[in-house]
Every structure is written in structure tokens, then in C-alpha cells.
Amino acid sequence: MSFKSLSYNLRKRLHPAGASLPQTDLKPYRPQLEKILSMDLRRLSPDELRQRAERLAAARRVEAADHLQAELFALVAEASRRALGLNPHDCQILAGLAMAQGRIAELPTGEGKTLAAVFPVSWWALTGRGVHVLTFNDYLARRDAAWMGPAYRLLGLRVGCVQEGQDPAEKRAAYACEVTYATAKEVGFDFLRDQLAYDPRELVQRPFHAALVDEADSILIDEARIPLVIAGLSGRSDFESDRVASLVNGLAAGRDYETDAEHRSVFLTEAGAKRLEASLGCGVLFDARNQRLLESVYCSLQAHVLLRRDIDYIVRNGRVEIIDEFTGRVMDKRHWPDGLQTAVEAKEGLVPRPEGRVFGSITLQHYFRLYPRLAGMTATARPAAEELHTFYGLGVTVIPPHRPCIRRDEPDAVFLRKEDKQIALVEEIRRSQTEGRPVLVGTLSVQESEGLAVELRAAGLACQVLNAKNDEQEARIIAQAGRPGTVTISTNMAGRGTDIKLGGPEEEERERAVAVGGLYVLGTNRHESLRIDRQLRGRAGRQGDPGSSRFYISAEDELFKRYGLTELFLKHHRPEKENPQEAAESEPIRGEVDHWQRIIEGQNFDVRRSLYAYSSLVEIQRKIVQEERRRILLGGELAGGWTPHWPELAAQGRSKRAGTGLARLERAVRLRALDRSWADHLAWVNDTKETIHLVRLGGLTPDREFQKSATENFLGMMRSAEESARAEMEGLLAADDPALESQKIKGPSSTWTYLVKEDQFGWGLELAMGKNIGLAVSAALSLMVHGPLYVFVLALRRLLGRKKAP
């Protein structure tokens, strides 16, 4: 394939922006809904119910049989009533119909998305091929599989659940079921593990058929470009990370390094470089021979200056755990790349974990495109409708609530100073608790949640705290959060996958909670994403319950400072003329915050769309390697003996009493050579991706140059794998070893999986958007042969760094 045709195909893979408007007219679904509701299956015995489902399954296996969908949905509804004690309402059935057509259903919080998913999942599962229901975490996967399982089984469908830590046999059995609940990342990791199998019996997954994604906007959008990685021991040692961390800790801001708060970057000054050179005794720090050392220095600088404990990460059980800025949860198995994880561990005085060599990787964005059928559900799909359509071809259908939402969303309370905001917030919580009203307070970070808890307890107010440090107690805390007078302080953990029931577990408390106005949601900050704000508000007012929400914000909040909204606030409100301790009139400020949230979400969309061009080429290459690997792995062995891949080796092999053992040996040799070459290519891609934006200095286009180089390197990699495998096989056949057939070549002795926390400091934004040159560590390393180029790029970065954000 030529480079031009390859580039054209990459552009075609992005769906056009048209036809991405959310569907709000549900008339097309009404005839089918009426058919479903008209079927009375209450007289059927359990055996008759299962027999009808089996008949439908037989029809589904030989034809599309869409005309049978109404009958299947009626069977699901009846199975839900009998096995679960749940009577699906019209909105849940409508959502099921939309998802069965491969769409994202937007259902308000508390409307029963878990049950709605059973309809399309059963429809797809009747074909006999596996359907994956992908949830937010292991707990939800386990809960939903156990909860919905009886309904599936009544229809003759097997239900499995994949959990982290299961052995391969357990996972293989779960994937063999018609319905498998799991998290997206664990299914993705199992996919990568299968790509390293040396024997067909090691595979745990079968070919993908369909997937339904819960919290679809979060998983398909917010985590879309997060790479899932499988790595193994590389033998590479960390370059004096403890010593470098100690030296960097002694550097002074302004004198030894400068920061660019706007782009969250840090770089050495000339004085700082000389100070480190003297301490390290390394000569010129920017010489090519000091590449690893310079990389370690910059990673340590970023760890010390830009990453904040209890905001960006926590330390728990002797390990650094990264916090998701969108959810406030610990990001399970997340790992900073390129030595940054090791630098943070050294900063905290922990034993560093090995980074290893990457053997395989796939972004969630590309992983989801492997499913022939994809659908999802969430409470906040509309703001992401264009992006869902662009990347996945998924339309959004808006389902109205079963009961009208009567929640009151109060205007923001806006203050000049954070201190005044905190005083007013504590007083509002006190007033609400005195009234006996349940309160949920959403905070931005672990640090903020714990600080507010200290203030409340000092004021004599009891509260529960839910954050990344005690996430294992989430279910217990959330179960009590709706009780009258209960105050729950949470990070964004309470924003997804949770359902706060008014009155808590005791039904008699519900009337008390309803009488005082229902759940009161208070936000202490507005977030960069408007969807996160809406998720937090959506904790209140579930299924027609009363409730209200309000955000308390100040001109000193992170969002205000980062995007220049503080100046706007001062323009509208003069502290010398007004009482700064009182909340200001918020509509102009709220409108400006909403405006900036839309801009930020648009920028993030542009970043993902631009980075897609980079990752798409590598994904095409991964598929080529995967297909070649699968041919080798499943190629089979002839009963009559060994038929070598290289015919010229046949005579040499037969002289060694060739048998099926030689066929297995050749398969292992070819697989290992391909895996090694692919790992080398991935390392090359990672280095090149971090540096390619510097070709702008020569007037070239980064994405075009990347695609050219990556294509050339890939073709060379495939030739190298073939040559390496042949040379190794020749060597084995030439050896005078009578036990040749019993030799076994295995994959990596130890592997582990993690997700890369990319673009922590916005380098990807600079790379994709071209808004400035950017100085990622490896950018200064790989293209820098002499010091003057580094100095030039550094000076240019400083010049661009002084400009205000547009």
C-alpha cells in the first residue's frame, strides 16, 4: 500500500461530523414497543419460556430475524419479572431497542440502566457468540453479573464474570459464556495476553462479537486514548533515580528551574544545569552520552515540581497510585511512562517498580473498534454525541425519564476568595444538617475532601469521607449517604456507578428525607468537563425524587486561575464596593465558566482527533502483526511430519528425524522473533512520537513525517523478524543435538499489565495542535546532537511560554 493511499484510508476511518445530532424523536420505536407490551407471557411455565427462547436462538443463528425481536424483548421482560422481581418500564425497553440498533442510550441517573442492558445483550447473545458487558470497575461487573444472572439463565443463556487476578482457566470459562461481565481494561489486557501465547491452548478469548459499554461517555471518550500495555522484564536498570531525586530536591525555583503554569511544564535554567553538572560530575549534561541521565533529571524535576501528592496521586501500601482527575478514583494499574513513575517513587522514598519492555499495546479507542457490534448507555451522552459518532459511528438516543425530574439546580454561589467560599460552604452544610437533610459534597481532590472534613469536624459537624484512600468502603458509605442528616464528602468517585437511595437502606427513613427536600448536592469547584458537573448534579433527584444542587466557587479556584476567569470576576465585581464575604451575582460568571468548559471539551476533542492519526497507523500495523501471529499460532501441524516454512531447510530437518516436535519448535522460533521485532518497533514508535513535533523547525508536517518514518520502520521490522527467525532455526538444525525436538521456546517469563497515564503535562496537546514547540524530555534528547539546538529550542519555548492562552 502506498503512503498516499494509507493516509487517505486513515482519514476515511474518521466518520464525518454530520448525522451526529442526538435522536430525541422516539416515534420509530413506538410500533415495536407496542408489540412487546401486547404480548402476555404470564401463563408460560419456566420450561415453556426457555423453549421459546431456544427457538428464537435457533432462528437468530441462521438469519438476522429482526422480526423476532419483539418476542425476545417480551421474553426478557417476563424473565425479569419472574427471576429478578423487576418490572421493566417503557423507558427501559425503549433504551434496549435503541442499544440493540447499535446506539448510545442516554438514560437519566436512577432510571435502571443495568436492567435496560439485558434486552440488547440477550438479543445479541442468542446467536451463540459471546457478548461483553463492560462496566466501570470489578465490583460493578461482579454485582451486575450476579444481579442480572437469573434472568439470563431463565432464557437459557450462560453468564460469566471476568475479574482481575483470575487464573486463565476461570477466564476461559467466563469468556465461553454467551454473556460475560467485565471491565473494559481487563478484557483489553486479556486480549494483549492472548497476543503473546505460544500455544493455542493458552488462549482465553474467542473472536469478538458484541459489546455493551456502561458509563459509555467516560469509557469511550475520557479514557479513549489511554494505551493498555503488556510488558516484561527488560534488564534495564534505573539510572541513579534516588541520587538524582535528592539533587533535584535541592534546586530552587526561579534560580535553577522555571515553570510554565499555563502548559504545566518545567525546564532547567543555565544556573540549574551547571549546578547539577557539578554535583553529578558528568561534564556537559546535554551531551549525547548523558542522554539517560538528562532524561532522569527531567523526570525527577516533573515529579518534584508538577505532580502533587493527594491531588495527582496517593501513596498507599508502599505504592504510588495515580488519581483520575475525572472521577477522583484511584486509576487501577495506571502507570506514568518514560521514567516518570520511577521518579515519583524515588521522590516518595519507595522501592521503584520495574518499567520493563513493552511487548504489546492498544488504546481503548482502537480496542473498542474491534467489536463488530458496539452500543452503550450513560446519563450524559449528549455533550459527547459528536465525538461518539466521529470515532465509533455511534448515534445517541435520548430516553426521557420514567418519572419527571423535579430536582432544582440552584445558581452558583460565587466568592472572591476561597476562604470566604469555605466559610459559606460550612455554614450551608450546618444549616442543611440541622434541617435533617442528607448532603453530598463533591470535591476536586483527596486533599480538598480531607481538608473540608477537618473544617466540618472542627465546627462540630459529623461527616463521612469517600475518596481514593478508602475506595474499598465506597458501597458502605454510599448506602448510608441518603439518610436524613448525613453529610458525605466525596471526590468525583460518587459521580458514576453509584445510586444514592433517599433514606438509606431503611425504608421508614425515606419519608423523612423526602419531607426535607431530598438529597442536597454541593459542588466545591466547577470542573473542566461540563459532563462531570452534570454527573454530580445527577446524584440528586433520581426517579422523580425531590433534590437540589448548587456549586460554591471562588475566583481563586483552579479553573479560574488556569483560564484567566479571575480577571473577569474582578471586572464585574469590585471588592472595594461590595462585601467580599457575600456571594456575588453569578449569572455572568456561570455563563463564562460554561463557555470555557465548552472550549476545553472542544480542545480535548481536537487533541483526540489529531492523535488518532498517529495511533491509527500503529493500529493498522498491529493488526498486520496480529494476523501474521495468528497464522503462525493456528497454522497446525501435518500428521505426516514437518513441513517447514522455509523449504530449503527441509532436508536439513529431516536428517534430524523430523516430527511434529520440529513443527512446534519452528512455530515458537517464528513467534519469538516476531514478538521481539514488534517490541523493538513499539519502543521506536514511542521515542519518535515524543520527538516528531520538532520537525516543525524545518517546516515539515509532524503527522506526515511520522507516518512516513513509521511505515519504513515497520517494513524493515517485518523483514528483520523473518530473517532473525530463519537464522535461529538454521542454527538449531545445524546443532548436533539428538533432543532437538524436545526443545521448548517460551515467551517472556514474567509479564505485567498497566495503563499509561499519558499527556500529564499537555505535551500531546502541543504535539497535536501545533500551538507551540513543546519541550518533552525525549524531544530534547533524540534530535539533539549538539548543545546549540537544545538552547535554541529552550529559548523558543520560553518565548512562546510567555504568551497568554487564546
Side-chain angles (χ1 to χ4, degrees), residues 424-601:
L425 183 62
V426 170
E427 193 53 42
E428 181 72 355
I429 294 171
R430 181 199 301 279
R431 183 187 64 78
S432 300
Q433 191 176 54
T434 302
E435 293 175 353
R437 198 170 180 193
V439 178
L440 174 68
V441 186
T443 60
L444 203 59
S445 66
V446 171
Q447 188 180 74
E448 186 184 9
S449 67
E450 294 181 341
L452 180 58
V454 169
E455 290 184 49
L456 290 178
R457 288 164 184 158
L461 302 175
C463 63
Q464 290 279 343
V465 179
L466 174 61
N467 60 36
K469 287 186 177 180
N470 63 345
D471 51 0
E472 69 280 356
Q473 301 176 41
E474 178 177 358
R476 180 185 62 79
I477 293 173
I478 288 298
Q480 301 295 325
R483 294 183 61 188
T486 299
V487 176
T488 306
I489 303 171
S490 176
T491 53
N492 293 333
M493 288 178 65
R496 289 189 185 271
T498 58
D499 196 4
I500 298 175
K501 185 178 179 182
L502 274 188
E506 305 299 329
E507 193 61 37
E508 59 268 22
E509 298 281 347
R510 174 178 166 76
E511 292 308 315
R512 283 183 55 204
V514 169
V516 293
L519 182 66
Y520 189 13
V521 172
L522 293 170
T524 64
N525 294 269
R526 294 289 290 273
H527 301 85
E528 287 192 355
S529 171
L530 188 58
R531 285 185 289 112
I532 304 299
D533 289 347
R534 289 176 177 171
Q535 282 282 344
L536 181 59
R537 290 188 192 275
R539 298 307 99 195
R542 63 181 285 279
Q543 292 196 12
D545 284 345
S548 58
S549 70
R550 192 175 196 187
F551 282 88
Y552 277 65
I553 58 179
S554 84
E556 295 178 342
D557 289 347
E558 180 90 7
L559 188 71
F560 275 68
K561 290 189 289 187
R562 187 177 299 176
Y563 298 104
L565 298 181
T566 304
E567 296 175 7
L568 178 74
F569 181 91
L570 294 173
K571 183 178 178 182
H572 284 283
H573 305 283
R574 304 282 178 157
E576 65 273 12
K577 295 182 180 179
E578 303 173 12
N579 183 354
Q581 276 124 19
E582 292 182 1
E585 198 276 308
S586 67
E587 278 312 306
I589 302 298
R590 182 175 181 175
E592 197 65 26
V593 171
D594 289 347
H595 171 69
W596 268 102
Q597 286 176 318
R598 287 191 293 271
I599 289 177
I600 295 162
E601 288 179 342

Side-chain angles (χ1 to χ4, degrees), residues 416-423 554 556-558:
L416 175 64
R417 298 182 304 179
K418 187 178 288 188
E419 179 185 353
D420 298 324
K421 178 186 80 171
Q422 291 298 107
I423 293 171
S554 84
E556 295 178 342
D557 289 347
E558 180 90 7

Side-chain angles (χ1 to χ4, degrees), residues 169-187:
E170 289 176 306
K171 287 188 171 183
R172 196 175 295 113
Y175 284 120
C177 295
E178 287 79 27
V179 180
T180 305
Y181 281 81
T183 63
K185 61 178 176 53
E186 194 60 28
V187 178

Side-chain angles (χ1 to χ4, degrees), residues 116-164:
V118 177
F119 290 92
V121 169
S122 299
W123 176 241
W124 293 327
L126 284 178
T127 61
R129 289 171 284 177
V131 181
H132 296 164
V133 185
L134 303 177
T135 63
F136 208 70
N137 55 43
D138 272 351
Y139 162 73
L140 291 174
R142 190 168 60 249
R143 182 201 71 179
D144 293 353
W147 186 13
M148 299 292 114
Y152 290 117
R153 286 189 283 271
L154 191 54
L155 298 173
L157 299 172
R158 296 170 299 164
V159 182
C161 179
V162 170
Q163 300 275 281
E164 182 184 353

Side-chain angles (χ1 to χ4, degrees), residues 248 305 520 794:
V248 166
V305 178
Y520 189 13
L794 179 59

Side-chain angles (χ1 to χ4, degrees), residues 39 110 125 322 479 542:
M39 295 184 188
I322 303 174
R542 63 181 285 279

Side-chain angles (χ1 to χ4, degrees), residues 542-702:
R542 63 181 285 279
Q543 292 196 12
D545 284 345
S548 58
S549 70
R550 192 175 196 187
F551 282 88
Y552 277 65
I553 58 179
S554 84
E556 295 178 342
D557 289 347
E558 180 90 7
L559 188 71
F560 275 68
K561 290 189 289 187
R562 187 177 299 176
Y563 298 104
L565 298 181
T566 304
E567 296 175 7
L568 178 74
F569 181 91
L570 294 173
K571 183 178 178 182
H572 284 283
H573 305 283
R574 304 282 178 157
E576 65 273 12
K577 295 182 180 179
E578 303 173 12
N579 183 354
Q581 276 124 19
E582 292 182 1
E585 198 276 308
S586 67
E587 278 312 306
I589 302 298
R590 182 175 181 175
E592 197 65 26
V593 171
D594 289 347
H595 171 69
W596 268 102
Q597 286 176 318
R598 287 191 293 271
I599 289 177
I600 295 162
E601 288 179 342
Q603 286 179 340
N604 289 334
F605 180 18
D606 289 341
V607 169
R608 287 188 282 266
R609 184 160 47 188
S610 298
L611 289 177
Y612 190 86
Y614 288 85
S615 60
S616 287
L617 177 60
V618 180
E619 174 60 11
I620 291 172
Q621 294 171 348
R622 188 201 61 74
K623 285 183 177 179
I624 293 172
V625 170
Q626 179 192 355
E627 289 169 7
E628 175 66 12
R629 202 181 190 287
R630 193 168 184 83
R631 277 196 296 270
I632 297 171
L633 183 67
L634 304 178
E637 300 164 2
L638 298 178
W642 178 47
T643 303
H645 176 66
W646 302 280
E648 59 271 26
L649 299 182
Q652 191 176 2
R654 292 190 182 100
S655 70
K656 296 285 183 179
R657 299 183 300 279
T660 56
L662 278 179
R664 288 193 295 270
L665 179 63
E666 182 192 85
R667 179 177 67 194
V669 167
R670 293 179 65 198
L671 288 174
R672 184 167 70 175
L674 187 60
D675 291 346
R676 284 174 171 173
S677 296
W678 179 241
D680 290 340
H681 181 65
L682 288 177
W684 177 92
V685 165
N686 186 57
D687 289 341
T688 304
K689 195 167 58 175
E690 292 292 338
T691 63
I692 196 67
H693 57 287
L694 288 181
V695 301
R696 290 184 189 280
L697 295 171
L700 301 175
T701 305

Side-chain angles (χ1 to χ4, degrees), residues 43 58 62 87 102 129 136 182 229 243 251 263 285 321 329 364 376 438 546 615 645 654 766 773:
R43 292 190 178 90
V62 297
N87 187 20
R129 289 171 284 177
F136 208 70
V229 171
R243 184 185 176 203
L251 299 180
H263 297 100
L285 185 59
E321 299 185 323
R329 300 174 188 267
L364 285 171
S615 60
H645 176 66
R654 292 190 182 100
E766 296 167 357
I773 296 301

